[in-house]
């Protein structure tokens, strides 16, 4: 007889997740005339043709409702020059854009200066997954720089350009 499946302990899941290296992004959108954003590591490319990506945002995030109402949002892939930016956008600061160098993308979403790459996307689907909304998005604008991207693993940030190749 097969053993009944059980839910792993949350602390074990945190340890498992720390073993996975992720990119560091800040997802932004306009809330009327006010820019909003948050740090997100649940980002992934889905397809290159057509260019489609996804981001997952917890329902309790102060930025969630703004993103849910938006037609477009921006995904800013942070560079190693942006530890200050990730700290601000991972916080509960009232105005995360105060003193930040950014500009509006072609569809109005905030694009953060000094990012390794940026994309503006049109939200196509909003899927509810327990405590999060998964935003499925079509890329409508993209830009890349020569700045090395930041990555995150085991509670620390790293320079992706300094990683050792295995092959």
């Amino acid at each position: 007889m097969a053993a009944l499946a059980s839910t792993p302990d949350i602390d074990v899941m945190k340890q498992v997740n720390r073993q996975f290296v992720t990119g560091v992004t800040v997802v932004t959108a306009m809330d009327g005339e006010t820019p909003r954003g948050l740090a997100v590591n649940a980002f992934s490319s889905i397809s290159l043709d057509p260019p489609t990506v996804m981001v997952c945002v917890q329902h309790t995030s102060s930025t969630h409702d703004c993103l849910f109402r938006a037609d477009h949002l921006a995904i800013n892939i942070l560079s190693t020059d942006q530890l200050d930016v990730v700290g601000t956008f991972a916080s509960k600061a009232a105005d995360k854009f105060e003193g930040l160098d950014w500009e509006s993308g072609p569809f109005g979403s905030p694009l953060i200066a000094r990012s390794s790459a940026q994309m503006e996307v049109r939200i196509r689907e909003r899927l509810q997954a327990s405590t999060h909304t998964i935003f499925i998005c079509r890329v409508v604008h993209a830009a890349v720089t020569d700045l090395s991207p930041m990555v995150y693993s085991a509670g620390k940030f790293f320079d992706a350009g300094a990683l050792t190749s295995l092959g």
Side-chain angles (χ1 to χ4, degrees):
M1 181 172 189
L4 294 176
S6 64
T7 301
D9 179 76
I10 193 164
D11 291 327
V12 171
M13 287 309 305
K14 287 178 182 179
Q15 291 173 10
V16 168
N17 289 339
R18 286 186 191 114
Q19 297 302 312
F20 190 71
V21 176
T22 65
V24 181
T25 70
V26 169
V27 174
T28 58
M30 293 303 293
D31 191 4
E33 298 297 314
T34 305
R36 304 265 186 231
L38 75 160
V40 172
N41 70 352
F43 158 78
S44 182
S45 172
I46 296 174
S47 170
L48 290 175
D49 187 18
T52 307
V53 298
M54 62 164 244
V55 294
C56 302
V57 178
Q58 191 167 17
H59 295 153
T60 58
S61 163
S62 61
T63 307
H64 177 272
D65 291 348
C66 164
L67 295 173
F68 200 86
R69 290 188 304 267
D71 292 326
H72 292 83
L73 58 85
I75 301 162
N76 299 273
I77 298 174
L78 298 190
S79 73
T80 56
D81 294 341
Q82 294 178 295
L83 276 174
D84 60 326
V85 174
V86 73
T88 299
F89 281 88
S91 77
K92 302 280 187 200
D95 182 0
K96 297 177 184 179
F97 285 81
E98 182 178 354
L100 183 69
D101 188 9
W102 66 279
E103 64 183 14
S104 293
F107 295 87
S109 304
L111 300 176
I112 300 173
R114 299 184 291 137
S115 294
S116 178
Q118 306 159 323
M119 64 187 88
E120 196 168 13
V121 301
R122 182 168 42 96
I123 300 170
R124 300 290 304 262
E125 296 180 64
R126 296 162 182 84
L127 308 173
Q128 300 308 308
S130 185
T131 59
H132 287 67
T133 298
I134 303 167
F135 295 90
I136 307 295
C137 308
R138 181 74 47 87
V139 179
V140 293
H141 169 76
V144 65
T145 71
D146 291 333
L147 297 171
S148 187
M150 183 189 311
V151 293
Y152 180 82
S153 180
K156 297 179 185 172
F157 296 100
F158 297 91
D159 180 343
L163 297 177
T164 303
S165 174
L166 297 177

